[in-house]
Amino acid sequence: MDQRLQFLSSYQKEEMSVADLCRTHGISRPTAYRWINRYNETGPEGLVDPQPSPTWLLPRDARADRDTILVLRAKHPSWGARKLKVRLEMLQPEVVWPAASTFTQYT
């Protein structure tokens, strides 16, 4: 955070070009412009990196599917993903189940 504030302080004083400031602070120009834009939009709070968001989120109905998969897996812990999927497709043919590889994520 201190490095970012020092960079922006130097940038605002127009002591050097952005390219020279980047070399001095050891950052890339896209990073520098990202910091500048964040600072201009939200002030010093914009210099804090945002928390990473999950790479995937389950839709609401997929959560119910996940719970069903977990219940069946608890009843049959030795079954693999493919067998679990086949059994669920037989029990609930109206549901579109995810790929068998997705079942392994729910362990």
Side-chain angles (χ1 to χ4, degrees):
M1 181 75 170
D2 291 335
Q3 177 190 17
R4 296 175 186 197
L5 288 173
Q6 289 174 356
F7 171 82
L8 284 164
S9 175
S10 298
Y11 171 76
Q12 290 173 339
K13 292 177 189 173
E14 298 180 1
E15 296 173 342
M16 294 188 262
S17 68
V18 173
D20 291 336
L21 284 170
C22 291
R23 276 192 289 278
T24 303
H25 290 277
I27 60 172
S28 67
R29 285 181 31 198
T31 299
Y33 285 113
R34 185 175 35 238
W35 291 354
I36 292 166
N37 291 335
R38 283 186 193 168
Y39 186 81
N40 290 337
E41 290 173 5
T42 58
E45 299 84 30
L47 298 178
V48 178
D49 284 330
Q51 291 294 322
S53 60
T55 56
W56 56 277
L57 293 174
L58 292 176
R60 203 174 279 266
D61 55 341
R63 292 182 193 141
D65 295 346
R66 181 194 62 195
D67 294 340
T68 305
I69 293 167
L70 291 174
V71 167
L72 189 61
R73 184 176 287 284
K75 287 181 183 176
H76 305 283
S78 63
W79 285 7
R82 288 185 289 178
K83 188 177 246 183
L84 289 169
K85 182 178 182 195
V86 168
R87 179 55 62 102
L88 287 173
E89 287 173 339
M90 289 187 334
L91 294 173
Q92 298 178 14
E94 69 281 355
V95 176
V96 177
W97 294 100
S101 59
T102 304
F103 280 54
T104 59
Q105 296 176 3
Y106 298 148
T107 58

